[in-house]
């Protein structure tokens, strides 16, 4: 067991039953739905029209602004629609629907870009941008933005996040075990792009096989180390990882770059390696399809835009008592009202849960036990934030650092009264942002 950890956090049942299930390639979908908003920041503008023929890797949506990322066709075929479509993050988003021709013909621009040693930092950043690579841990923040910190922010360490702390999800675990050389290759490119010579790949101590595979892959590169962290949720949150690995504390309202660190996900590193070696944009990713409501849980390599329904069917379908389908994990994932939503760049897991796993108990009264405060990894007092939110005291909520909440769900998990603490704090954050925009 490692003693590298952080204050607060919880130990939910991890239920990673697919940890030893190798990655398999999913069956190609008959059609894909490519949302023009799959990342933090501004949506893309379509570059194609209905009736156009497209190829794999062809850019079909252009990024608008610095914080954005282009989108590409994940299959070859015909564009059949450009219209609003249900998005797994909620609501409807403009999307490009492509009917596959089954050929998977590559676009002419998909070709190797060289190797890490021969490419300049600027060239790597440009490759990452044009490939539409975003953080694959869930936040989907455009990676090229992370690789372009302001000159006054001196970065000295790169952390590669292999914690995968959410229950059920194991796709990153399998990437580290099966493709450690790709992980290290991508990390070397990210290090070069940002100009650092020191990096740590952070893995929780419940994944010893991943840590060993990465050590072997990284042993030829003295600046890259593998750090084993204590298994605890939410270890994969970047601020908690920085504290556990380096002992540095990101200030309230700050970013990792404020303490000289950039953090990225192991899946993102693999995507960077493929963009350089093969010239392939981010058109597919690893996804865990699992849960008590899935008949045959698996880890799959999936084309972006594949409907959830296709992947669920490939895993044997839903059980008769399935009560909920979630995009992501049980702690921070988003429940879906339909399985006709597409896999997007930030989809790490499709989680289907049985009735017994989703029963909702009625909320009681707060007994001021402070368990929520003890569990909060951001050292907030959730019960106070909830009170401010429920009473519409938005200024007081902001003063109590509501915006620092990472919405990890630890407080709600430990609350004996089963209070929806995260829901209340999320509402406060929405109202605080709205007030600032109005001003």
């Amino acid at each position: 067991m490692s003693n590298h950890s952080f204050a607060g956090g919880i130990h939910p049942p991890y239920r990673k039953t697919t940890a030893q299930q190798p990655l398999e390639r999913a069956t190609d979908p008959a059609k894909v739905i490519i949302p023009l908003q799959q990342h933090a920041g501004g949506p893309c503008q379509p570059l194609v029209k209905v009736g156009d023929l497209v190829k794999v890797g062809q850019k079909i949506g252009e990024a608008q602004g610095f914080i954005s990322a282009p989108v590409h066709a994940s299959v070859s075929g015909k564009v059949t629609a450009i219209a609003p479509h249900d998005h797994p993050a909620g609501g409807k988003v403009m999307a490009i629907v492509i009917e596959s021709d089954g050929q998977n013909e590559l676009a002419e621009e998909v070709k190797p870009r060289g190797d890490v040693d021969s490419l300049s930092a600027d060239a790597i950043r440009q490759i990452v941008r044009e490939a539409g690579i975003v953080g694959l841990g869930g936040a989907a923040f455009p990676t090229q933005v992370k690789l372009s910190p302001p000159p006054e922010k001196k970065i000295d360490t790169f952390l590669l996040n292999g914690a995968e702390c959410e229950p059920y999800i194991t796709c990153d675990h399998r990437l580290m075990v099966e493709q450690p050389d790709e992980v290290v290759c991508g990390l070397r490119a990210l290090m070069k792009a940002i100009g650092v010579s020191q990096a740590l790949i952070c893995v929780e101590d419940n994944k010893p096989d991943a840590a060993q595979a990465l050590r072997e892959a990284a042993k030829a590169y003295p600046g890259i180390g593998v750090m084993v962290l204590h298994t605890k949720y939410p270890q994969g949150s970047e601020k908690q990882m920085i504290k556990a690995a380096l002992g540095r504390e990101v200030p309230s309202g700050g970013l990792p770059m404020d303490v000289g660190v950039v953090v990225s996900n192991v899946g993102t590193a693999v995507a960077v390696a493929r963009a350089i070696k093969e010239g392939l944009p981010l058109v597919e990713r690893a996804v865990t399809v699992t849960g008590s409501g899935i008949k045959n849980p698996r880890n799959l390599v999936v084309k972006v835009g594949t409907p959830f329904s296709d992947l669920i069917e490939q895993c044997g379908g839903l059980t008769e008592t399935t009560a909920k389908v979630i995009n992501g994990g049980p702690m921070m994932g988003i429940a879906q009202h339909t399985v006709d939503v597409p896999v997007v760049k930030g989809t790490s897991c499709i989680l289907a849960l049985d009735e017994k796993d989703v029963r909702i108990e009625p909320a009681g009264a707060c007994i001021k036990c402070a368990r929520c405060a003890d569990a909060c990894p951001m050292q907030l007092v959730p019960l106070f934030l909830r009170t401010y939110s429920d009473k519409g005291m938005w200024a007081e909520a902001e003063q109590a650092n509501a915006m620092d909440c990472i919405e990890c769900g630890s407080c709600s998990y430990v609350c004996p009264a089963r209070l929806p603490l995260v829901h209340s704090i999320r509402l406060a954050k929405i109202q605080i942002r709205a007030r600032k925009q109005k001003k």
Side-chain angles (χ1 to χ4, degrees), residues 1 28 37 55 62 76 87 118 130-131 143 153 233 242 244 249 285 320 384:
M1 298 291 285
D28 284 351
Q37 176 86 58
K55 298 178 181 179
E62 183 60 271
S76 58
H87 193 285
S118 64
E130 286 301 306
T143 300
K153 303 294 184 183
Y233 178 85
I242 291 168
E249 197 160 310
R285 64 154 299 149
E320 294 179 359
F384 287 172

Side-chain angles (χ1 to χ4, degrees), residues 215-339:
R215 284 194 187 100
E216 285 297 313
K219 65 184 180 182
Y221 307 101
I224 299 176
V226 177
M227 176 172 281
V228 177
L229 306 177
H230 178 55
T231 299
K232 182 165 63 169
Y233 178 85
Q235 186 78 257
S237 172
E238 59 184 15
K239 293 180 181 179
Q240 280 59 52
M241 178 165 287
I242 291 168
K243 178 65 175 177
L246 302 173
R248 304 179 192 178
E249 197 160 310
V250 178
S252 177
L255 297 169
M257 68 176 68
D258 295 324
V259 292
V261 183
V262 170
V263 184
S264 198
N265 174 266
V266 292
T268 306
V270 171
V272 171
R274 295 196 68 188
I276 292 172
K277 290 182 174 182
E278 305 170 36
L280 190 69
L282 182 50
V283 294
E284 62 184 32
R285 64 154 299 149
V287 177
T288 301
V289 184
T290 187
S292 53
I294 294 288
K295 291 181 179 178
N296 301 308
R298 298 162 70 186
N299 287 308
L300 299 173
V301 176
V302 177
K303 289 184 177 293
V304 170
T306 303
F308 279 24
S309 54
D310 284 19
L311 301 178
I312 290 170
E313 183 180 346
Q314 289 179 46
C315 293
L318 301 173
T319 64
E320 294 179 359
T321 53
T322 299
K324 182 179 286 189
V325 175
I326 298 171
N327 173 51
M331 301 300 296
M332 297 184 71
I334 299 173
Q336 304 297 301
H337 71 91
T338 175
V339 292

